[in-house]
Amino acid sequence: MRARRLTGSLAWLVVVTLTAAGCGLSGGSDDGGATAGGCKVNEGNVGSGKLTGDVKGKITFQTTNLKKDFGGFFNGVIKDFEKANPGTSVKWIDDPGDNTFTQRTVADAQGCTMPDVINIDAPTATALTKAGYLLNVGVKDPDAAKPFVPAFWKSSTYKDASGKAAHTVLPWYTGGVLLTYNTDMLKKAGIDPAKPPKTMFGLFADYEKIAKSAKGKYFATMANPIWRIPADWDQMNIKTLSADGKSTAFADDPRTAQWVAWMAKLYKEGAMPKDSLSSSNDPSTPYSQGQVAYGSTNPSFVRFVKQNSPSVYAKTGVGQQPFDALGHTTAAPQYISVAATSKHAPTALAFAKFLTNAENQTAWCKDPKVVIFPTTTTSLDDPFFQNATGSDPFSQARKLVAEQLKTTTAYQTNVSPAVQKAIVSQVQLAMQGKKSPEQAVKDAQEKADELLKQAG
């Protein structure tokens, strides 16, 4: 099971609102000036030409809830940048990153006051790119891609107002995905912990073996499908949305109904606690208490178990998340973007590249307060990630995730919470035996399409 990828409903609404308002990026306005969204900007910030200009002046840099724990590191990065670029000044502000983040950020953009350099997530990047408020880094700096893992960079695009993919973000840090499991429970079920399954249905087959072995004393995993949709489908290369994102496509793939049938079978056979079907609890706590065989897929979870449940940690193993039909994993990175409205865009772009370069990414990932992974090729090859020794699960997890990130792509399927809920509720009905898997998938697609149509 992998971490749920919730998207902000506000972000979804914001995209609609901005589209209706006719916002976008333009090389000219009514009075002849360049615009980004509804803001007048320097002509060099928009259009097809490379960004030029002196790196000097004051810019504002906004992170998301990082100042409390990482003040020393980021103040050092800022100081180094200012020293290397005389005449520059970086003002660092930190947003709490609450549920209104996207709404507030878009409001700032509409007011032409968005920070010059900003840390954003995928929903916010979707809204701001469509409205034309972010610098097209791929156009404005053709060399911007060089430090990053090629597949990661190539997939880190968002659609502008015309529907064209644009590189408006620099990949920053990410979490990673892997299997974590109780080796004792797997062995009792006749599963070799050293040979993790390569497909989702292979993993489901192992769940079934655990249910038969456990006989109700413990479980394989938690039931609520909200933790798996659309992540599992992405890994199986099932297209949740159509190419233009205006409708769903998952019902067209027969594997979706097979996936639902597996979930229903596992639930019926006791692989999952009955009361977890609609629970918001992920497997972290029950795993640490020895109640489920598979834990959270986040590498930081392994360290959590190490620190808080030594007896369970001693039995913990880690393995590759099934690559399945996709052939690699996906990640949901945090991004750094430059405002197209910046008055000192050359300085903002220079700082964004400095912040995300291999040296600074590697340094931050080594901070003992976090378990995060970089997005640059050089960083992933650092001995910190590659020189895992012994059988310590946490070290093995770090090496495993760093290796798989060399071929990963950024997470692309972006559904609103309302659409996700509509799909999940139908799957839950199938798991309860109230609908056939085929009917549940059909109904899920119809309900999701209605919501997408309403959203425009």
Side-chain angles (χ1 to χ4, degrees):
M1 186 181 299
R2 65 193 309 176
R4 175 172 51 174
R5 296 155 168 168
L6 290 178
T7 57
S9 58
L10 289 173
W12 192 263
L13 292 172
V14 162
V15 171
V16 176
T17 303
L18 290 173
T19 302
C23 293
L25 184 148
S26 169
S29 63
D30 292 343
D31 60 2
T35 61
C39 306
K40 293 182 178 180
V41 299
N42 295 328
E43 289 188 3
N45 292 10
V46 298
S48 58
K50 182 179 178 180
L51 184 66
T52 59
D54 295 334
V55 177
K56 64 179 183 180
K58 296 181 179 179
I59 61 171
T60 301
F61 163 48
Q62 178 177 294
T63 53
T64 304
N65 196 25
L66 295 177
K67 208 162 198 174
K68 179 182 178 182
D69 293 326
F70 306 104
F73 174 77
F74 287 107
N75 280 323
V77 171
I78 291 169
K79 185 177 180 181
D80 289 345
F81 176 79
E82 292 173 337
K83 184 178 180 181
N85 297 277
T88 62
S89 176
V90 180
K91 179 183 178 181
W92 178 25
I93 57 178
D94 196 44
D95 187 276
D98 55 24
N99 291 334
T100 64
F101 173 76
T102 300
Q103 183 186 35
R104 287 184 287 105
T105 302
V106 172
D108 288 344
Q110 290 176 311
C112 312
T113 59
M114 191 168 71
D116 301 274
V117 180
I118 184 169
N119 169 202
I120 57 175
D121 56 11
T124 312
T126 299
L128 293 176
T129 302
K130 194 166 187 176
Y133 286 113
L134 298 181
L135 199 73
N136 190 337
V137 180
V139 170
K140 293 301 171 182
D141 185 349
D143 294 330
K146 289 183 177 179
F148 300 103
V149 172
F152 223 136
W153 170 261
K154 186 178 180 181
S155 57
S156 292
T157 61
Y158 290 89
K159 294 182 179 179
D160 62 18
S162 68
K164 184 179 179 181
H167 278 291
T168 54
V169 296
L170 297 178
W172 198 17
Y173 67 93
T174 188
V177 180
L178 78 168
L179 292 178
T180 62
Y181 41 76
N182 185 309
T183 56
D184 278 4
M185 293 180 182
L186 265 61
K187 290 175 182 176
K188 288 177 181 177
I191 302 168
D192 185 351
K195 297 179 179 178
K198 297 180 179 179
T199 66
M200 285 298 165
F201 290 168
L203 180 61
F204 286 176
D206 284 353
Y207 287 173
E208 188 174 37
K209 293 176 182 177
I210 289 169
K212 291 178 180 178
S213 172
K215 298 179 180 178
K217 295 179 182 178
Y218 50 87
F219 303 93
T221 186
M222 304 295 272
N224 195 338
I226 200 169
W227 298 104
R228 317 188 73 107
I229 296 174
D232 277 15
W233 299 351
D234 280 348
Q235 206 60 52
M236 295 170 68
N237 209 17
I238 295 172
K239 304 301 181 186
T240 301
L241 298 174
S242 60
D244 62 8
K246 295 182 179 179
S247 62
T248 56
F250 56 85
D252 301 334
D253 192 321
R255 294 175 299 164
T256 308
Q258 294 171 18
W259 184 91
V260 176
W262 255 115
M263 290 291 285
K265 183 180 182 184
L266 291 168
Y267 185 69
K268 181 180 179 181
E269 293 178 348
M272 307 155 172
K274 295 296 183 186
D275 60 358
S276 68
L277 185 59
S278 57
S279 168
S280 61
N281 296 329
D282 70 13
S284 301
T285 299
Y287 179 88
S288 301
Q289 296 172 344
Q291 297 172 354
V292 297
Y294 285 85
S296 169
T297 58
N298 193 321
S300 66
F301 170 71
V302 183
R303 187 174 71 169
F304 172 83
V305 177
K306 181 179 181 179
Q307 294 172 339
N308 297 283
S309 304
S311 61
V312 174
Y313 183 72
K315 305 172 185 175
T316 293
V318 297
Q320 179 70 61
Q321 174 79 1
F323 279 0
D324 214 296
L326 192 62
H328 57 78
T329 60
T330 59
Q334 288 286 309
Y335 297 112
I336 291 294
S337 289
V338 175
T341 53
S342 174
K343 295 180 179 178
H344 299 287
T347 306
L349 180 57
F351 179 73
K353 292 176 65 178
F354 184 77
L355 176 70
T356 58
N357 69 23
E359 180 180 357
N360 283 321
Q361 286 211 31
T362 304
W364 188 29
C365 291
K366 290 182 178 179
D367 192 309
K369 294 190 288 294
V370 292
V371 183
I372 56 174
F373 295 85
T375 55
T376 66
T377 303
T378 300
S379 300
L380 290 171
D381 285 332
D382 191 273
F384 178 74
F385 295 108
Q386 297 299 329
N387 291 350
T389 58
S391 57
D392 176 63
F394 181 54
S395 296
Q396 293 296 328
R398 177 175 279 154
K399 182 177 181 179
L400 185 62
V401 172
E403 198 62 36
Q404 74 182 24
L405 284 174
K406 293 180 179 179
T407 57
T408 193
T409 56
Y411 177 67
Q412 292 296 298
T413 302
N414 190 12
V415 297
S416 72
V419 170
Q420 186 191 38
K421 185 178 180 181
I423 299 170
V424 165
S425 63
Q426 294 302 311
V427 175
Q428 289 169 327
L429 291 174
M431 292 174 69
Q432 293 172 301
K434 297 179 179 179
K435 284 188 177 183
S436 70
E438 292 78 11
Q439 189 63 48
V441 170
K442 181 176 181 293
D443 292 346
Q445 179 142 307
E446 289 180 358
K447 293 181 181 300
D449 282 345
E450 288 176 8
L451 292 170
L452 289 170
K453 187 176 181 180
Q454 292 172 13

